[in-house]
Amino acid sequence: DSGVTQTPKHLITATGQRVTLRCSPRSGDLSVYWYQQSLDQGLQFLIHYYNGEERAKGNILERFSAQQFPDLHSELNLSSLELGDSALYFCASSPREAANYGYTFGSGTRLTVV
Amino acid sequence: AQSVTQLGSHVSVSEGALVLLRCNYSSSVPPYLFWYVQYPNQGLQLLLKYTSAATLVKGINGFEAEFKKSETSFHLTKPSAHMSDAAEYFCAVRVDSGYSTLTFGKGTMLLVSP
């Protein structure tokens, strides 16, 4: 157990729907990062939050949004889902704003859009 | 911009043989470099990290990596492969262009045969 908790582990939904993925960072970590992993694109950085504030955006679609709450958990919202959104979504956390010492990853949420 | 390139999407070794997984980086600043391992249906686990201290870095499970600035390389090695080492391995570099996240290579699948 890495200490980073992601729920749900699996999600199957239909095209056009909206889902919310949840992440609780490791105790004491203030930064949360979201990544998408797919066979063709590999690991793609989506977004980074530090202590409730957005710090960086990567290849995140406009249909996707995220936030980090005062208790430091984070949610990734995916809307108007398309078949191509099927992927593993990982959350990672780190103690500080800078990723100098790496991240701790959760076990991921596998999203299947049908 | 910082990036990493992993040479070889698949590497096959026999149990007991040397493991060598290659990673070359591109960075205009002194890099922070990482190796992660992903077992099937799991998240990524940090194996080791280079943060400008010793150039030979020892990690978990008997793995080590050597930072070679002249070759812009950070190859991962293990003297003797075990069946349990079969997994996907990712090299990553800290991005340092206004924000601080990690960018990952495409991954190398290590196959270990008896």
Side-chain angles (χ1 to χ4, degrees):
Chain A
D1 182 8
S2 68
V4 178
T5 304
Q6 289 189 248
T7 57
K9 292 194 181 307
H10 301 277
L11 201 48
I12 302 175
T13 190
T15 54
Q17 295 298 305
R18 172 188 168 96
V19 297
T20 297
L21 313 184
R22 183 188 169 100
C23 169
S24 293
R26 199 176 53 165
S27 178
D29 285 358
L30 300 179
S31 273
V32 169
Y33 308 81
W34 286 96
Y35 281 77
Q36 179 193 59
Q37 185 180 37
S38 60
L39 282 175
D40 52 342
Q41 296 292 323
L43 269 162
Q44 295 288 314
F45 167 66
L46 296 178
I47 199 162
H48 169 209
Y49 278 85
Y50 173 73
N51 204 20
E53 295 191 7
E54 181 185 305
R55 277 293 183 257
K57 270 187 174 179
N59 300 321
I60 188 166
L61 300 171
E62 286 192 10
R63 301 184 284 109
F64 296 1
S65 64
Q67 57 184 131
Q68 186 180 27
F69 295 86
D71 67 352
L72 301 177
H73 91 272
S74 177
E75 293 180 357
L76 179 67
N77 300 296
L78 315 176
S79 61
S80 303
L81 284 167
E82 302 174 359
L83 295 177
D85 298 327
S86 296
L88 259 174
Y89 291 84
F90 285 108
C91 165
S93 71
S94 69
R96 301 176 186 82
E97 185 173 3
N100 291 4
Y101 300 99
Y103 308 147
T104 301
F105 278 84
S107 57
T109 294
R110 182 173 294 280
L111 173 66
T112 303
V113 182
V114 297
Chain B
Q2 287 83 356
S3 66
V4 289
T5 302
Q6 292 184 242
L7 302 175
S9 58
H10 291 80
V11 169
S12 295
V13 299
S14 299
E15 195 172 20
L18 171 72
V19 175
L20 171 60
L21 304 182
R22 299 177 187 272
C23 174
N24 288 91
Y25 70 89
S26 171
S27 177
S28 57
V29 299
Y32 287 69
L33 294 160
F34 307 83
W35 276 100
Y36 280 83
V37 60
Q38 184 179 25
Y39 298 101
N41 300 313
Q42 294 188 26
L44 281 75
Q45 179 183 6
L46 182 65
L47 271 178
L48 49 80
K49 56 182 178 280
Y50 168 76
T51 57
S52 75
T55 56
L56 182 62
V57 182
K58 294 187 183 299
I60 62 172
N61 301 339
F63 284 94
E64 62 182 37
E66 187 171 8
F67 172 73
K68 291 188 177 180
K69 184 178 178 180
S70 60
E71 298 177 8
T72 61
S73 70
F74 189 58
H75 302 331
L76 182 70
T77 60
K78 182 174 180 177
S80 176
H82 292 177
M83 296 295 290
S84 60
D85 294 327
E88 189 157 23
Y89 292 80
F90 292 90
C91 182
V93 64
R94 190 195 77 168
V95 175
D96 190 25
S97 55
Y99 56 89
S100 176
T101 61
L102 300 187
T103 191
F104 288 82
K106 295 287 188 185
T108 297
M109 183 68 72
L110 176 65
L111 308 169
V112 183
S113 57

